[in-house]
Amino acid sequence: MRCSEHYNFTTPSSINSFSSQNMNQDFEENLVGLYLDATFSYKDYLYLNVVGRNDWSSTLERENNSLFYPGASISFVPTTAFDNIQGNGLNYMKLRFGYGSSAGFPTPFNTRDVLTLGARNLLDINGNVISGNTVSNTLGNRNLRPEKVEELEIGIDTRFFNRLNLNVSLYNKTTTDLITNRTLDSSTGFLSTFVNIGEMKSKGVEVDYDIDILKSGGDRFGFNIAGNFTANESIVTDLAEGTNNILLTQAISGKLPTML
C-alpha cells in the first residue's frame, strides 16, 4: 500500500507549499512468519540446534509469496568432554558446524505495472490545474520469486592462558533467485524490470581475537586489545535464462557501465 501526504487541498500539488519539497510517500508491506527453534544438549559438551521458518510476503503474487528456510547447527566442547585435554595453556575449545538459510523479499510494487497519478502536472493559460497520469518505466514481473541464501560454516572457538580468545570460521554461501533490476530495450516501452537472475556463490574466512594485556583482581581495571580479519570472494555462477549480462550502474564521467 502507498499513501501520499498532500499539502494544498484547494489546488492539489505534489509539492509542499511550506517547504517546497516533494510530498512524502509511505510504503507498507505485510510479512507473516512462523518460526521454530529447538536446542538439545548432552552433558554440557554436545549441543544440537534446529530452526525453521516460513514467511509470507505481501510484495509478491500469491503463487510465489511463501518461502520456507531451515537451519541446523552442532557444536562439541572437547575441553568439557575430556578433562585431560586442558593444559599447556588451553582453557577452552569448541568445535562447531552449521547450516543456515534466509529469505529476501522485494520492495512493494515490482510485480505489477504501476500507474503514477499527477495531481498538478501543469497549469493552463487561465490558471486551471491540469491533472494527469503516467505509466512507470519499470515493467512488473508477476513471476518474481523471493531470493534464498544458504550457508555452510565450520569454526573453532578457543581460549588460552585465560587471556587470549581466538575464533576462526570458514564459510561457503550460495544465493539463488537473486533479485536484480535488469535493463530492457526501450522499444518495449519500459526501461527495466526486476528478475531472479540465478545464482551467486561466496566463500571466505573470518578470524577474530581479543587479549587481556592487563588484568586486576576483581576486574576493577584492565587493558584489552581486540581485532578481526575477514576475506571474502564472490562470483556469479548463473544468470537468468536468456540473459548474458546485467547492467548494475549507468556510465558515469565517460566510464563504461559495470556489468555482471
Side-chain angles (χ1 to χ4, degrees), residues 191-231:
L191 298 181
S192 64
T193 185
F194 282 90
V195 296
N196 301 100
I197 70 166
E199 183 179 87
M200 181 173 69
K201 291 183 177 294
S202 301
K203 59 182 179 180
V205 58
E206 296 178 350
V207 179
D208 64 85
Y209 70 89
D210 67 86
I211 182 171
D212 296 320
I213 304 299
L214 294 176
K215 295 177 64 175
S216 63
D219 294 330
R220 290 174 296 178
F221 174 79
F223 178 66
N224 180 278
I225 295 178
N228 62 76
F229 168 81
T230 300

Side-chain angles (χ1 to χ4, degrees), residues 95-112:
L95 306 175
R96 47 187 169 79
F97 175 79
Y99 163 80
S101 57
S102 60
F105 294 93
T107 55
F109 309 114
N110 288 316
T111 63
R112 305 286 183 95

Side-chain angles (χ1 to χ4, degrees), residues 62-80:
R62 185 181 299 273
E63 59 270 20
N64 295 318
N65 71 347
S66 175
L67 184 67
F68 174 74
Y69 45 100
S73 65
I74 185 170
S75 58
F76 174 63
V77 185
T79 48
T80 302

Side-chain angles (χ1 to χ4, degrees), residues 150-186:
E150 298 177 283
E151 180 175 349
L152 291 173
E153 180 177 309
I154 185 172
I156 181 172
D157 301 336
T158 57
R159 182 168 180 80
F160 299 94
F161 303 105
N162 284 320
R163 286 181 178 272
L164 172 63
N165 294 313
L166 178 64
N167 308 316
V168 181
S169 299
L170 302 174
Y171 65 88
N172 193 318
K173 182 187 301 183
T174 302
T175 303
T176 54
D177 291 330
L178 185 65
I179 299 174
T180 303
N181 193 14
R182 183 178 70 181
T183 56
L184 298 175
D185 193 315
S186 58

